[in-house]
Amino acid sequence: MQKKVGKRNTRLETYEEKKALVSQFNLTSDIFFSKVMEDMKACEEVIRIFTEENFSVKKVKTQYSIRNMEAHSVVLDVLAENENGCLVSIEIHPQENENHVKRVRYNLSCIDTSFFEKGEEYKNVPETYMLHITENDFIGKNNGINVVNRSICGETKILDNGVHEIYVILQGESDDPEQKELLKYFLKSDSDYETEAFPNLVARVKLFKEQKEGIDVMCEIIERERMMAREEGMIEGEIKGKIALVRKKYLKGNTSEQVADALELDQSYIKNVMFMIVEGQTDEEIAMELISKNI
């Protein structure tokens, strides 16, 4: 009996499927945005328009990880540097309902501790721009570009500490034509768009949405992200299982040493989990904290 062979997609059909998948992305996707920003000229255009500064990018890193063994680690979507060592961090958080201001504060502190060498004078702390991009107008002023300055209450004098804190609200308005155009482009990012304001940015978007090499790169990244998400889900499930066992034995009055022996786990790890149990944290909260601290 002849085996029935299923229909196999042609190369053209496969390409069209990939193209359709990638076409759904715009610059509010951190994955897509990070790939586009790997191009220094495209990165320069975004920085120049949003900061209104003539910033020349010498180096750019995307998905830049700052590991912190004692506290919360961060991954910066984009970190750029100019010839003078000035840093620009660009973060995409379009829909997140979070404390954006405190997130910026923490990210800035991580940048400072990572790029300020021990023994250096404070005057050498790098000048840093923080571009925090979101859709929701959490400030409530309907301004596309919101620049935060440090000043003494009741005074006009600005205290310059080398930090340039800028909140970009994509649904906000701007009187500057280039800023207004770029705000709208972030939300749509059409591959057939043409402009003289940020041609390199548009060319990069077109590369990943229209050209086979770019589409293949994006599809590989998407698949890798899916695999990582599945693996992380499995790891989280395994950790939550261990925490549940620790909780069960703790409630039965077992000591950390007894639990460690029974589960064949390090006693310091058990003590850490038990402390969080006593603090009233749920198994999921404990698991997420252990994962974030890489414990």
Side-chain angles (χ1 to χ4, degrees):
M1 184 176 179
Q2 189 176 9
K3 186 183 287 187
K4 188 176 180 180
V5 179
K7 183 183 177 183
R8 182 179 177 181
N9 285 358
T10 65
R11 286 190 178 89
L12 179 60
E13 287 172 330
T14 302
Y15 171 73
E16 291 298 329
E17 287 172 0
K18 288 182 177 180
K19 186 177 178 181
L21 174 63
V22 177
S23 68
Q24 300 173 38
F25 285 98
N26 60 29
L27 289 171
T28 64
S29 162
D30 57 353
I31 298 173
F32 189 72
F33 179 71
S34 295
K35 289 304 296 180
V36 171
M37 288 293 99
E38 286 178 355
D39 181 82
M40 290 195 296
K41 292 299 181 183
C43 187
E44 272 184 15
E45 289 171 345
V46 172
I47 295 170
R48 175 183 58 80
I49 292 172
F50 283 155
T51 66
E52 296 183 291
E53 299 280 352
N54 188 21
F55 192 96
S56 179
V57 173
K58 180 182 84 170
K59 194 169 188 178
V60 61
K61 295 284 187 180
T62 61
Q63 294 299 302
Y64 188 86
S65 177
I66 299 178
R67 302 293 297 172
N68 193 328
M69 298 304 293
E70 302 299 326
H72 184 70
S73 299
V74 299
V75 177
L76 305 176
D77 291 328
V78 177
L79 185 64
E81 181 182 0
N82 72 1
E83 296 289 344
N84 301 320
C86 175
L87 301 172
V88 178
S89 173
I90 312 176
E91 288 291 290
I92 290 284
H93 299 282
Q95 298 290 344
E96 285 87 336
N97 182 21
E98 61 182 11
N99 193 317
H100 295 283
V101 178
K102 287 198 173 180
R103 182 175 191 134
V104 166
R105 171 186 165 183
Y106 184 75
N107 285 358
L108 282 167
S109 71
C110 289
I111 291 172
D112 282 344
T113 54
S114 295
F115 293 94
F116 184 52
E117 299 292 336
K118 183 178 180 180
E120 282 197 71
E121 297 182 24
Y122 286 110
K123 66 180 181 180
N124 295 326
V125 174
E127 187 171 0
T128 305
Y129 285 77
M130 176 63 77
L131 284 168
H132 189 89
I133 304 173
T134 183
E135 282 188 47
N136 300 324
D137 185 9
F138 69 97
I139 297 174
K141 293 291 186 180
N142 197 35
N143 292 326
I145 310 298
N146 302 269
V147 180
V148 177
N149 290 317
R150 291 168 58 89
S151 62
I152 300 171
C153 291
E155 302 289 337
T156 57
K157 180 179 175 62
I158 294 173
L159 298 178
D160 182 11
N161 64 351
V163 172
H164 306 268
E165 196 171 336
I166 302 172
Y167 296 91
V168 178
I169 310 298
L170 296 177
Q171 293 182 349
E173 296 294 331
S174 175
D175 294 329
D176 182 275
E178 287 189 344
Q179 288 180 348
K180 188 172 185 177
E181 184 180 359
L182 185 54
L183 290 169
K184 290 182 178 179
Y185 185 70
F186 259 74
L187 293 171
K188 291 191 175 180
S189 312
D190 294 329
S191 59
D192 59 351
Y193 194 83
E194 293 184 7
T195 181
E196 294 181 1
F198 39 88
N200 294 289
L201 180 66
V202 167
R204 286 289 286 182
V205 169
K206 189 171 293 186
L207 166 66
F208 291 113
K209 285 194 170 188
E210 294 289 341
Q211 297 179 29
K212 185 179 184 303
E213 59 176 300
I215 292 171
D216 286 342
V217 167
M218 282 306 305
C219 287
E220 286 174 10
I221 292 172
I222 293 167
E223 183 57 31
R224 189 160 64 244
E225 290 286 327
R226 286 173 176 170
M227 289 179 65
M228 287 176 62
R230 287 194 291 267
E231 290 173 2
E232 286 173 2
M234 291 173 64
I235 292 170
E236 183 182 342
E238 183 180 340
I239 292 173
K240 285 167 70 174
K242 289 179 182 178
I243 295 167
L245 290 173
V246 173
R247 185 185 294 275
K248 185 176 180 180
K249 290 184 177 298
Y250 166 75
L251 293 175
K252 287 184 176 180
N254 286 267
T255 65
S256 60
E257 186 176 1
Q258 289 172 327
V259 176
D261 286 341
L263 300 181
E264 297 182 344
L265 294 171
D266 186 79
Q267 191 175 352
S268 63
Y269 176 89
I270 299 299
K271 282 183 177 179
N272 201 2
V273 172
M274 281 187 170
F275 175 79
M276 288 186 273
I277 290 172
V278 173
E279 290 289 301
Q281 292 180 249
T282 66
D283 291 357
E284 185 173 359
E285 288 170 341
I286 296 171
M288 294 307 295
E289 186 167 339
L290 292 176
I291 291 170
S292 69
K293 291 182 177 179
N294 200 26
I295 297 176

